[in-house]
Amino acid sequence: MNFCYFSQLWPKQSFSAAHERTFGIIERFIHNNIKTYYITPQDKKKAEHIRQYIDLKCHQADPSNTSRVNHVLSRIQSPSVSVFDTHVSECLYSHYVHQVFQNCAKVLDLQDLHSLRLKRENLLTSELMNKEVLKAKPELGDELTDKEMAAIIRSDLIIACSDYEMELIKHLNKKVQLVTFFYPTTRPLDEEDKQAIELKQYHYKRRHFVFLGNMSHRPNYDAVKRLKDKIWPIIVKALPQAQLHIYGSNFPAEFKTDEYNGFICKGLMKEIDILGKYRVMLAPLRFGAGVKGKITDAWREMLPVITTPIGAEGLFLESSQAIKYECVNQIQSKFYSDMEPDRLTPQIRKESLEEENFMKEYYTYDNTEEMAKKLTFGGSFNNWTDEQFADEAIKMYQDEQLWFNAVDNSQKILKRRMDTIVNEKLLMKAISETQTNLASMRRQDILQKLTWSETLRSNYHFAKYLDEKRKNLELTGKLKQIN
């Protein structure tokens, strides 16, 4: 079996959650002895991080260069699966795959719903959080929403990071699988584990607060501005010896280090394990979508997180996909096809369904504040005002037992949701089922047929236009050199 991965760029390690997800997916395919190809328009000089995988074939192919893309695809022997890392990559490359490899399953990695993030941003008010932002949904008619929905409809399988976003797109009658990150979570947190005990005891040695994120990403910029202007002044007044260290790239001029108030901009974080020296992460995210990588990175270093309902979305121990998690954990079968709910005990099935129904009700965001009390999170998330956020941060910083409980919760969530083996099984089972049933699925999906009919017609002419434009530019450049 051959596998193609299409992206707009080469991934970089420790750069973002999306890049970590890319590495995880590719590693799982290579681990399963699947011949893998990575295709992007970006120059190969920037591929140094991905080239560590000697079994991975890397190709540069500009989607506007039809002959180049077709040449690259001609060197790939009948791929069974093509994965597109965003709706943009799907739009640029899927029509080539659809025409050249008709029996190839097209998988869209929905890293997050960009249209949901934009919709939420447009509804921001002066408050830290409000229910209008939480309850916002992408609306057809918006250009970005239409593009994302079209990419979803054209694809045979959708991989979602967040179970909330899964629920949003289920009405499209698409096959959707929840797959988060691929983290090694083999280290148990029990009294017999000396390493875990030592790490937990770091509460006494750990100091200060931390934030991590690229400032060119608008939710991160907004969060740091909120910290600087509203939240940090409250915290530092109660904890005058504490500091807030901001890590990331693309710092705007307004985010300047203020040593007197303990607000310190540190620049890029060279190693993620630096998080392990801090006591609490602050992430007042007021809008966004998908799973927040900064939070899972913090948990990997046993660092509790103070965030908002937006930040915690898709990161609770409880899940609307509880049965699938229980199948993986309880059945312990090496055969992906054996992961079936009817093999679970009646009690486990009952408890899993109750959990799923609870999460679906919570994600309506009608009774959020009351229902949130029943959810498990590695820190504090049900924060609606700046004062409430600051108070929770101060308590987490000072209360040793509260801190320990948050660490324990974070490890349980990582083990259930982010474990490498768990998500590998879920991913491979979904792909196997899609391949097996591909022909019948496509026959029954009338909307997909109609969408592809229009897509191929428009993309054929647009690709032809871009190809001719590129050739004219090349010819103009040669004529200038001659003259």
Side-chain angles (χ1 to χ4, degrees):
M1 181 167 66
N2 293 340
F3 158 65
C4 295
Y5 191 96
F6 293 90
S7 177
Q8 293 173 271
L9 40 75
W10 302 107
K12 297 179 181 178
Q13 288 181 322
S14 302
F15 183 78
S16 70
H19 287 226
E20 288 298 314
R21 183 170 170 78
T22 295
F23 281 112
I25 291 174
I26 288 173
E27 284 176 0
R28 291 307 95 201
F29 274 89
I30 292 175
H31 178 258
N32 281 270
N33 298 316
I34 299 172
K35 194 170 184 180
T36 308
Y37 301 83
Y38 195 103
I39 302 168
T40 176
Q42 201 173 38
D43 194 303
K44 277 191 176 183
K45 293 178 182 178
K46 299 183 178 181
E48 64 272 16
H49 290 259
I50 197 71
R51 283 185 168 174
Q52 63 177 296
Y53 305 105
I54 57 175
D55 295 326
L56 180 69
K57 306 295 182 183
C58 297
H59 295 281
Q60 179 188 1
D62 186 340
S64 67
N65 189 335
T66 303
S67 58
R68 174 60 184 168
V69 175
N70 287 330
H71 171 70
V72 169
L73 295 182
S74 70
R75 299 173 63 182
I76 302 172
Q77 296 179 350
S78 302
S80 304
V81 180
S82 287
V83 175
F84 307 94
D85 69 348
T86 61
H87 77 279
V88 178
S89 299
E90 190 279 339
C91 183
L92 293 173
Y93 287 106
S94 67
H95 60 98
Y96 290 110
V97 175
H98 190 79
Q99 293 177 89
V100 178
F101 305 119
Q102 295 183 359
N103 296 321
C104 178
K106 293 185 284 294
V107 181
L108 175 62
D109 183 12
L110 196 68
Q111 294 176 352
D112 66 62
L113 277 172
H114 293 55
S115 54
L116 175 63
R117 182 184 349 128
L118 183 62
K119 182 74 173 180
R120 285 172 163 173
E121 182 179 7
N122 291 337
L123 292 173
L124 288 180
T125 64
S126 60
E127 301 170 286
L128 175 67
M129 281 296 303
N130 66 70
K131 283 194 176 180
E132 293 304 311
V133 172
L134 269 179
K135 298 182 76 168
K137 292 179 173 59
E139 296 179 357
L140 289 175
D142 295 335
E143 182 179 1
L144 182 55
T145 303
D146 292 349
K147 287 180 178 179
E148 281 193 319
M149 294 303 114
I152 289 170
I153 292 168
R154 285 192 295 260
S155 302
D156 301 305
L157 171 66
I158 313 300
I159 307 172
C161 260
S162 163
D163 46 2
Y164 172 67
E165 292 180 17
M166 261 187 93
E167 298 301 321
L168 283 185
I169 64 174
K170 271 188 172 181
H171 69 282
L172 295 172
N173 296 319
K174 300 301 296 183
K175 181 174 177 56
V176 188
Q177 175 61 57
L178 181 66
V179 177
T180 51
F181 299 121
F182 301 85
Y183 291 161
T185 58
T186 54
R187 183 180 64 215
L189 271 178
D190 55 52
E191 292 183 355
E192 297 177 0
D193 184 354
K194 293 182 180 179
Q195 185 183 14
I197 291 174
E198 289 174 0
L199 285 168
K200 290 176 72 173
Q201 288 176 341
Y202 280 177
H203 175 270
Y204 304 104
K205 300 178 182 179
R206 292 185 176 198
R207 293 289 183 274
H208 306 316
F209 297 87
V210 65
F211 177 90
L212 172 65
N214 185 340
M215 300 306 143
S216 63
H217 187 54
R218 290 197 300 276
N220 289 334
Y221 168 83
D222 180 78
V224 174
K225 184 170 178 56
R226 195 76 184 191
L227 282 169
K228 185 176 185 295
D229 296 343
K230 303 283 188 178
I231 297 171
W232 183 243
I234 302 173
I235 296 174
V236 78
K237 184 177 180 179
L239 301 170
Q241 301 304 314
Q243 296 178 355
L244 171 58
H245 294 180
I246 310 292
Y247 287 89
S249 57
N250 303 312
F251 279 84
E254 63 189 287
F255 293 159
K256 293 181 180 179
T257 290
D258 184 350
E259 294 276 0
Y260 178 77
N261 286 320
F263 185 91
I264 300 173
C265 298
K266 304 283 284 187
L268 287 172
M269 182 176 285
K270 295 180 180 179
E271 300 291 339
I272 205 70
D273 59 7
I274 290 175
L275 288 172
K277 74 178 186 179
Y278 292 97
R279 193 177 289 182
V280 178
M281 172 177 276
L282 303 179
L285 298 164
R286 301 202 300 151
F287 65 102
V291 166
K292 316 307 181 292
K294 61 173 60 60
I295 294 178
T296 58
D297 284 340
W299 287 348
R300 290 170 76 181
E301 299 302 324
M302 297 190 175
L303 176 64
V305 179
I306 310 299
T307 188
T308 62
I310 290 284
E313 206 168 63
L315 284 172
F316 303 111
L317 179 66
E318 297 78 13
S319 171
S320 64
Q321 296 293 297
I323 279 184
K324 290 189 177 181
Y325 284 130
E326 292 306 318
C327 283
V328 176
N329 291 322
Q330 296 290 327
I331 294 172
Q332 298 295 325
S333 171
K334 67 179 180 180
F335 300 107
Y336 302 126
S337 59
D338 288 344
M339 290 159 42
E340 301 299 338
D342 57 10
R343 296 189 62 190
L344 298 173
T345 65
Q347 181 62 23
I348 291 176
R349 285 206 305 273
K350 178 176 179 294
E351 291 174 356
S352 298
L353 287 172
E354 288 174 352
E355 184 176 314
E356 290 185 7
N357 291 333
F358 179 84
M359 289 309 300
K360 289 174 183 177
E361 186 179 353
Y362 172 79
Y363 280 138
T364 63
Y365 289 130
D366 289 325
N367 191 23
T368 307
E369 295 178 64
E370 190 61 33
M371 295 183 73
K373 297 175 183 177
K374 300 179 182 179
L375 294 174
T376 307
F377 185 74
S380 171
F381 72 93
N382 195 31
N383 302 302
W384 295 80
T385 67
D386 299 312
E387 293 76 16
Q388 187 179 18
F389 189 100
D391 287 345
E392 289 294 310
I394 294 166
K395 282 193 292 184
M396 185 66 71
Y397 196 83
Q398 294 180 316
D399 191 325
E400 180 181 80
Q401 191 56 53
L402 184 65
W403 191 90
F404 284 160
N405 292 340
V407 169
D408 282 339
N409 287 340
S410 71
Q411 302 311 294
K412 291 174 184 175
I413 296 167
L414 287 181
K415 180 63 179 175
R416 189 184 202 196
R417 282 183 170 267
M418 315 289 169
D419 182 75
T420 297
I421 303 304
V422 168
N423 282 308
E424 177 183 314
K425 287 187 175 182
L426 292 171
L427 175 63
M428 299 307 294
K429 181 177 186 289
I431 286 176
S432 177
E433 289 177 345
T434 302
Q435 286 179 296
T436 302
N437 303 313
L438 187 62
S440 60
M441 286 168 54
R442 287 179 174 176
R443 279 198 302 270
Q444 296 171 30
D445 197 336
I446 298 174
L447 188 57
Q448 185 187 56
K449 287 182 181 179
L450 290 172
T451 306
W452 265 117
S453 175
E454 291 302 310
T455 297
L456 288 178
R457 186 181 296 115
S458 61
N459 280 2
Y460 170 77
H461 292 294
F462 187 58
K464 193 172 181 180
Y465 161 75
L466 291 177
D467 211 16
E468 291 300 321
K469 184 178 180 180
R470 178 186 56 80
K471 290 176 182 177
N472 287 335
L473 287 173
E474 290 177 355
L475 182 59
T476 300
K478 291 178 180 178
L479 289 174
K480 285 182 179 180
Q481 288 179 355
I482 293 173
N483 296 332

